[in-house]
Structures are given as structure tokens and as C-alpha cells.
Amino acid sequence: MKNTALTQTHEALGAKIVPFAGYNMPVSYEGVNVEHETVRNGVGVFDVSHMGEFLIGGPNALALIQKVTSNDASKLTIGKAQYSCLPNETGGIVDDLIVYRMKEEQYLLVVNASNIEKDWNHISKYNAEFNAEMRDISEGYSLLAIQGPKAVEAMQSLTSEDLSTIKFYNFVVGDFAGIEHVIISATGYTGSGGFEIYCKNEEVKQVWDKVLEAGVDFGIKPIGLAARDTLRLEMGYCLYGNDINDETSPFAAGLGWITKFTKDFVNSEALAKEKAHGPERKLIAFELDERGIPRNDYDIVDGQGKKIGIVTSGTMSPSMGKGIGLGYVPTIFSEVGSKINIQIRKNAVPATVVKLPFYKA
Amino acid sequence: MNIPSELKYTKDHEWVSIEGDIATVGITDFAQGELGDIVYVEVETLDETLDQDEVFGTVEAVKTVSDLFLPLTGEIIEFNESLEDEPEKVNTDPYGDGWMIKIKMSDPSQFEGLLSDADYKNLIGA
């Protein structure tokens, strides 16, 4: 099991550490509910250094990225980022990722920790044709997410960049917490605004300490992976391995908006056909009508108790105090307002299909 | 870690106290800490007679769900209904207001077979 550059820091803060995607990661410090609430109403900082980073450069960098990703990376200007996915050859998804355009001919791909090797091999396979320069810098780089409505105000003293002017899914490379050439990106996985900060491992301790110091007056707290999951689920953001995987199509997963047929890409022909016909099943968002908590892998059943689908993510929503989840059902059951049931142990608990996000600020 | 010496324990991280032939059961301080914020305690076996080690309920934290095992054979005669509205009592006061059920024991001699506080400390490495 690997450590991030901050694992000892988390231990000293009293975090509960769990193995996740090959790393010892903080799952919570004070408790998931208080951490969740901190990000929704104030500001919190996450160490998500387990995430993987690839640099793709050279004259054919864009051509390679266009081939392997579903979104249209030609729309990216320097300083912009986009959410995208890597479709596989058989209709599923290798991974979801963020593509940053760093320079004229250089892109940064940020991928899930559990998929670093799989993604690298997949992209390398297609790179035989393009010969772009590929570098896996995951081991040397750290990533902090500073999230919440007070993030801009709380962090402004740490940088000469004007944080309030960095728009969602834009970034700057600038000074932060006394370190030069830090990527300050207005992205995140919480739906509460804020930044993600990429820096070198040897720099991250200083950044972490200064972030906590600058945030004191704003009630900043360190936040663990448990709250990261409840925060993202309240927004309906997909989690790779739960809601999307090698077998789920981007259209079934509601990721049509990042699947652009303005270009040819891996499996684009088959995906275009799927788009035309509509997917056979869809990822839905649902709320329980009665008390209970849906969990990954619980059955979704119809009124007669017949299995019609499966829950892929579920939790008690800390913001709303009710059971919420995502799951796949045949398209006929996917309309907003449809009544379904979630099989929780012996009980089929009624639930309603709702529109995302669950949580509206 | 709070492990009161007057209680008995199970390997499933429950505590038991007795008064006459009535046993009171909850989960330990260690267990509530491992589970994290508890949001739901479900006991649907009230008035049933179950064997030792049978599942009598479920405790749900935000991130996990965990079965509750009956430490002693007997009839479940009471459920701490205040947990329906305030499940967080299991976190804040696991040995007091966070108690879960009372059992009318069928075989009080089973109580002596449970773990002592020292045994339980060893089990969790405290």
C-alpha cells in the first residue's frame, strides 16, 4: 500500500486511514456528517493525491487525445479543462477523466487512481499510430481539493492570482502558498465550488499547512473520502467502478453530453448507433419515499417484487436527511417521477425517480 | 477507548449488562468509532425469540451497514425507540442512552461465556 506525501500528516490529525485504490487514504477526520456540512456551507480541504496524472505532448498530442477521449478536445484553449471519458472498443468506459490544455502542444490528463495502469496501457496502444510524447507523472505530483462556497475568499491571501476571476473548468498556473508554477483549477467533485491544486510531492506539505492556516477564520477543516463520496453523490456525479465501468455505455450513464461526434474516436461508430436508438437501460437518480438507505449492489424491483435493476451508489444524504442513490434500470422505468422499489434486506422500500442534482444549493 | 469493566463483550463488538434475567445490549465505543456517523438502527425482531449469534437487527452508518448479532439466546422484549429519531446517541453515548435492545434470557449461564473487558481489549488491540 502506497502513502501520499501527506499520510503522516493525516494520521497526526487523527484521521481514520483506509486502503483505497492502492493508497492509504484518510476516510474521515471528525465524522462524515460534519465534514460534509463544512464543504456545503464553508470550506474544506481534501488530499486526493492518489489521482493519476499523464502529460501528453508534441505535435500529435491533440490527435491522440481526440482518438481516445469522447469529448471534443479541439475546443480547449490554453487555460481550459474539460470532463471526458475514455470509451473502450466494446461499448463501455475505460475511465472518466479531466483533460487540461496546458500549452499549445501539451495536455494534462487526470485519471482515477485505480485505473492508472489500465488507462496508460489503453492510451499507449493507440499512441502507436500518433507517437505523441507520454509521461506518467502520477508518482511525483500531489493534488489538493479546496472546496466550498468560502474557498475563493479563504484562499485569496495565498496567491497573487485573482481567484474570483477563474471560471468553472478554467485554470491558471501561478503562485500559491509560496510555491511557484502551481496549477490552480476551478474544478472539483463536490458541487460546492472551489479549487483543485496540483503541485509536486515535495511542495504539498507547505501548501497543505498554509491552506489550513489561511482558512482558520473561515472554519476550514480537512475532509476525508467518505464525505467526498456523499458530496459527489448528492450532485449525481458518476464514480468509476460504481456507476460507470468497462461495461456501461456513456449514453446509458447519462454522459451523452461529453460524447461528441464531431470527430472519430474509439468505438465512435457503434456509440453513434446507440445514440440513434437510445440505450436499453439508463442510470437513474432516485430518492427513497420511506426510511432506509440504499447501497451499492442492492436490487431495484418493480411493484411485484421482480428485479428490474441494480443500485450502483447509495447513501443517506447528509444535506437532505434521506436515502438517495443511482442505479441502472430498463429505459422504460427511467422517466422522472417513475415509482420503483429498492430491496433493502427483507423490505422493498418505495422510491421515486428524480432529476439531478439531488442537492440544490 | 472506553471499555467499562462491569460489562461483558462479544467478538462482534457488542456489550451486555444483566439485571436478573434481563440483558441490555448495545455496541461498543470501538464499534461506533469504526462505523462513523450512525444514521439508522433497524430492529425488526421485537418480541421474537432468537438464538445466540442470530442477526437481530442492522446498524447503518453513512458509509456502511452492519448486522447486529444477538449475544445471548432469548426473547427481544424491548427496543430503544429513541434511536429512531436520534440514532447519533449510539455515537455519543454507546454504553448509556445508545443502548439498543433488552433480552429476556433463556439461559443466563451464557452470560459467563462472554468476553471480559480484558479479553475484549485484547481482541481489538486496545
Side-chain angles (χ1 to χ4, degrees):
Chain A
M1 207 56 56
K2 292 184 221 170
N3 288 336
T4 76
L6 292 171
T7 300
Q8 284 182 324
T9 306
H10 304 314
E11 280 169 353
L13 285 165
K16 187 189 297 177
I17 305 282
V18 297
F20 181 83
Y23 283 82
N24 289 311
M25 297 299 290
V27 67
S28 68
Y29 299 79
E30 207 176 316
V32 55
N33 285 334
V34 61
E35 291 169 32
H36 181 106
E37 207 263 345
T38 298
V39 173
R40 281 282 178 255
N41 299 310
V43 57
V45 56
F46 306 71
D47 176 17
V48 282
S49 301
H50 58 309
M51 300 292 285
E53 294 92 9
F54 304 155
L55 276 177
I56 312 276
N60 283 336
L62 177 61
L64 171 63
I65 289 165
Q66 289 289 63
K67 179 70 187 179
V68 295
T69 67
S70 61
N71 208 338
D72 188 349
S74 72
K75 302 278 191 247
L76 289 172
T77 52
I78 295 167
K80 287 196 186 297
Q82 79 183 180
Y83 182 56
S84 193
C85 77
L86 301 174
N88 66 20
E89 297 82 0
T90 51
I93 298 173
V94 179
D95 201 2
D96 63 338
L97 74 165
I98 298 181
V99 180
Y100 291 83
R101 186 164 195 181
M102 305 301 299
K103 297 177 185 167
E104 196 56 39
E105 292 185 352
Q106 189 189 66
Y107 295 80
L108 174 69
L109 273 46
V110 179
V111 303
N112 283 300
S114 51
N115 291 334
I116 291 174
E117 197 183 340
K118 182 176 75 162
D119 294 352
W120 179 263
N121 292 339
H122 177 82
I123 300 169
S124 297
K125 186 173 70 186
Y126 287 95
N127 194 33
E129 181 186 338
F130 297 98
N131 220 4
E133 295 149 26
M134 288 177 58
R135 202 144 66 90
D136 179 1
I137 57 167
S138 307
E139 295 277 320
Y141 274 78
S142 294
L143 171 56
L144 300 183
I146 302 161
Q147 300 278 296
K150 294 183 183 164
V152 170
E153 204 188 342
M155 295 299 118
Q156 188 56 64
S157 65
L158 295 181
T159 174
S160 61
E161 303 289 339
D162 183 352
L163 294 178
S164 66
T165 61
I166 309 175
K167 293 195 195 108
F168 196 47
Y169 271 81
N170 283 239
F171 67 96
V172 297
V173 179
D175 65 292
F176 191 84
I179 309 283
E180 298 294 327
H181 309 299
V182 169
I183 301 175
I184 308 169
S185 168
T187 48
Y189 196 43
T190 64
S192 281
F195 300 93
E196 293 184 297
I197 302 286
Y198 298 85
C199 63
K200 296 197 179 93
N201 288 350
E202 53 272 25
E203 299 165 341
V204 72
K205 178 70 166 72
Q206 177 175 329
V207 175
W208 173 271
D209 288 343
K210 294 214 175 221
V211 164
L212 285 178
E213 202 179 296
V216 165
D217 291 346
F218 301 87
I220 199 168
K221 290 177 191 285
I223 314 292
L225 291 184
R228 184 170 162 85
D229 191 54
T230 54
L231 288 158
R232 71 91 194 169
L233 187 49
E234 284 186 346
M235 300 308 296
Y237 297 155
C238 288
L239 172 63
Y240 194 90
N242 278 42
D243 314 305
I244 50 177
N245 61 40
D246 294 304
E247 276 147 29
T248 57
S249 92
F251 290 104
L255 298 179
W257 64 281
I258 59 164
T259 307
K260 302 282 172 63
F261 296 105
T262 47
K263 52 155 196 173
D264 168 64
F265 60 92
V266 174
N267 205 36
S268 57
E269 227 168 278
L271 288 173
K273 278 186 198 141
E274 191 190 354
K275 184 184 181 182
H277 295 143
E280 284 172 20
R281 56 179 195 153
K282 274 191 178 168
L283 187 66
I284 52 153
F286 61 85
E287 291 179 3
L288 293 194
D289 300 336
E290 293 172 13
R291 188 141 81 166
I293 304 168
R295 306 277 181 189
N296 175 244
D297 237 19
Y298 284 5
D299 287 345
I300 301 175
V301 300
D302 66 13
Q304 282 70 50
K306 184 170 157 272
K307 180 175 174 176
I308 55 169
I310 192 108
V311 176
T312 54
S313 286
T315 192
M316 169 71 87
S317 158
S319 301
M320 296 175 297
K322 59 170 124 173
I324 60 169
L326 303 175
Y328 282 98
V329 294
T331 302
I332 48 163
F333 292 98
S334 66
E335 288 281 318
V336 168
S338 298
K339 292 289 176 185
I340 55 171
N341 297 278
I342 309 302
Q343 191 68 41
I344 302 179
R345 297 180 284 281
K346 282 178 285 181
N347 304 320
V349 179
T352 304
V353 177
V354 299
K355 200 168 172 287
L356 287 173
F358 295 104
Y359 173 80
K360 290 148 196 100
Chain B
M1 189 69 56
N2 183 9
I3 306 175
S5 59
E6 66 274 21
L7 302 176
K8 292 275 198 180
Y9 299 89
T10 72
K11 62 175 175 24
D12 300 309
H13 310 287
E14 279 134 2
W15 58 262
V16 184
S17 69
I18 50 170
E19 223 181 302
D21 61 351
I22 306 298
T24 304
V25 178
I27 65 168
T28 64
D29 190 26
F30 175 78
Q32 69 77 19
E34 288 297 300
L35 287 166
D37 291 344
I38 288 163
V39 289
Y40 192 26
V41 180
E42 183 182 87
V43 173
E44 293 185 327
T45 50
L46 192 61
D47 301 329
E48 289 179 30
T49 298
L50 299 178
D51 286 336
Q52 190 174 32
D53 296 333
E54 279 197 84
V55 173
F56 74 86
T58 317
V59 56
E60 301 228 27
V62 176
K63 293 305 298 173
T64 51
V65 51
S66 184
D67 283 335
L68 295 163
F69 298 94
L70 202 67
L72 304 159
T73 300
E75 183 188 351
I76 296 153
I77 55 167
E78 202 178 332
F79 166 54
N80 181 359
E81 284 174 5
S82 73
L83 297 181
E84 297 205 336
D85 292 325
E86 296 171 274
E88 63 276 10
K89 283 183 182 171
V90 178
N91 292 115
T92 54
D93 192 9
Y95 301 114
D97 287 347
W99 68 274
M100 290 178 173
I101 56 164
K102 291 187 193 291
I103 311 168
K104 189 169 192 314
M105 291 186 283
S106 305
D107 176 7
S109 73
Q110 283 178 340
F111 183 71
E112 292 312 313
L114 298 177
L115 305 177
S116 68
D117 60 317
D119 297 335
Y120 185 66
K121 265 180 206 151
N122 275 336
L123 179 80
I124 63 172

